[in-house]
Amino acid sequence: MEPVLADSVRLTDDGVLILDRREFPFERNWVLCRTVEDVAKAIEDMVTQSSGPYFAVLYGLVLKARTLEHLPFDEARAQLGHAAALLENTRRTNNALRKATAVVLAAVDAAQDVTQALQGARTGDERYRGKSRALGEHTANLLPDEATVLTHCWADLYLTETVKAAQRQGKRLRFFCTETRPYLQGARLTAETLIEMGVDTTLITDGMGAAVLQSGEVDALVTAADRVTMDGHVVNKVGTLGLAVAAHAFGVPFHAQVQAPDHLAPTTEHVEIEYRDGAEVLRVLGRPSATPRAKGLYPAFDVTPPRFVTDVVTDRGVFGAGELDKYYEGEQR
């Protein structure tokens, strides 16, 4: 059975249905977004996370295109472009949203017809899933037959495709998952998905990662990456940096997954790190977890320098952090 999070964004006649990951797995409620503005707000409010925003953007543009079919193409295309910019700005650190808007707009532009947004979204959906399968296979190849993996905020298709590939290869995986505060994605999303797939899963608090790495039990640190720059910096959920430094100190390889390094980000100067409201770290699952007199700081992502990255796993194979140009060899950009 396919894990729930692998199909958590759905296009319907009424709008885009998005599984509310803020409540999962305790409740499995779906949010109906009837407009592209509703989709943008859902992404900003963390209704959907990990790969979810990519699919929400694809189908959010389809919602907008449905409202533009009666307009002349130039006017409709301009409005669709504004909607694309709105969606891209919801989570600026991850460039997957830009890729989602690009594939939809490319289909519209090729046909000079906004109704082709649906075909573009379907293409983007299939492409993302195919690249995730390839990436998962390459990652599984790196793991021992009896592998214990430490991960951080890693859910959705990269995770499920890696596990499925390992299972096809006859490998047995065991996972340590960090809780990933303040939204507890690791505790609620990653751990639940792994258990759905029949994987031995142990939850640890965010402060335990270095000790677990020191114990000698862990064969690999594996995380997704929201962005990887061409010079090998890995941008991912805040907390990844500390785990990568500890893994390096204790001789544990760090495999960072991304479908492709971002050729528009030569260095970290080209990546905007999202800062969320510091008040979010003072609460857990809607309940206060600290004195309201304290101030909170919430950089949503951190940056791991290439010296702490063993390799970057992409849909085209595994590359050292210092050789990411090879991903694009022979390709016109």
Side-chain angles (χ1 to χ4, degrees):
M1 184 176 70
E2 189 75 1
V4 174
L5 293 184
D7 184 27
S8 62
V9 179
R10 301 171 183 172
L11 180 68
T12 71
D13 291 341
D14 296 326
V16 176
L17 276 173
I18 303 177
L19 180 68
D20 193 339
R21 299 189 185 208
R22 299 167 303 183
E23 302 173 345
F24 185 88
F26 314 115
E27 296 180 30
R28 301 196 177 191
N29 296 323
W30 294 78
V31 175
L32 175 61
C33 299
R34 296 185 182 275
T35 67
V36 69
E37 290 80 12
D38 290 345
V39 172
K41 188 172 190 311
I43 297 171
E44 288 176 341
D45 291 349
M46 302 287 280
V47 172
T48 186
Q49 304 152 22
S50 193
S51 300
Y54 173 87
F55 295 101
V57 167
L58 290 178
Y59 295 115
L61 283 180
V62 175
L63 292 188
K64 184 63 177 179
R66 287 175 178 175
T67 71
L68 302 173
E69 294 176 7
H70 64 289
L71 296 176
F73 176 73
D74 288 348
E75 184 177 345
R77 175 62 176 79
Q79 290 196 36
L80 196 63
H82 290 312
L86 171 71
L87 291 167
E88 288 176 14
N89 285 327
T90 56
R91 304 298 304 274
R92 293 177 293 281
T93 301
N94 190 323
N95 65 320
L97 305 193
R98 189 181 71 224
K99 293 182 178 181
T101 61
V103 70
V104 174
L105 295 178
V108 167
D109 291 343
Q112 296 286 286
D113 182 356
V114 293
T115 66
Q116 290 303 301
L118 177 57
Q119 184 56 51
R122 287 172 174 163
T123 298
D125 188 312
E126 293 169 5
R127 184 179 298 169
Y128 192 97
R129 293 179 189 278
K131 287 177 177 288
S132 297
R133 280 192 295 274
L135 176 154
E137 191 76 35
H138 295 312
T139 306
N141 291 340
L142 297 172
L143 301 176
D145 289 344
E146 302 278 338
T148 297
V149 178
L150 171 64
T151 190
H152 181 63
C153 196
W154 184 40
D156 235 307
L157 292 175
Y158 290 10
L159 172 68
T160 58
E161 294 299 342
T162 298
V163 171
K164 285 193 285 189
Q167 290 173 336
R168 286 194 300 269
Q169 294 175 13
K171 295 182 176 181
R172 295 204 323 169
L173 303 185
R174 173 186 176 219
F175 271 83
F176 283 103
C177 299
T178 56
E179 60 187 352
T180 328
R181 279 194 43 116
Y183 279 91
L184 302 182
Q185 293 105 317
R188 297 183 301 103
L189 309 181
T190 311
E192 178 70 15
T193 296
L194 286 166
I195 290 166
E196 283 182 13
M197 300 185 77
V199 176
D200 183 338
T201 304
T202 301
L203 182 68
I204 62 174
T205 69
D206 285 356
M208 296 179 185
V212 171
L213 287 162
Q214 186 185 43
S215 72
E217 290 187 69
V218 176
D219 298 299
L221 169 65
V222 183
T223 75
D226 284 85
R227 187 106 62 111
V228 175
T229 63
M230 293 306 297
D231 63 353
H233 287 79
V234 171
V235 182
N236 193 43
K237 172 70 182 181
V238 67
T240 304
L241 170 61
L243 293 173
V245 171
H248 182 79
F250 296 117
V252 176
F254 172 30
H255 309 301
Q257 295 181 318
V258 72
Q259 289 188 4
D262 185 6
H263 63 84
L264 296 180
T267 70
T268 54
E269 293 179 4
H270 301 85
V271 179
E272 179 181 352
I273 299 298
E274 175 187 357
Y275 277 75
R276 297 185 63 83
D277 186 347
E280 294 182 37
V281 306
L282 307 181
R283 304 178 69 83
V284 173
L285 302 182
R287 297 177 62 88
S289 58
T291 170
R293 293 178 293 179
K295 292 185 293 184
L297 175 67
Y298 187 5
F301 304 89
D302 60 25
V303 181
T304 300
R307 67 181 178 277
F308 300 118
V309 181
T310 306
D311 46 50
V312 177
V313 188
T314 74
D315 69 307
R316 297 180 181 177
V318 182
F319 300 90
E323 57 178 18
L324 294 175
D325 278 338
K326 291 181 180 179
Y327 180 92
Y328 292 104
E329 279 185 356
E331 179 180 324
Q332 294 224 332
R333 288 184 247 162

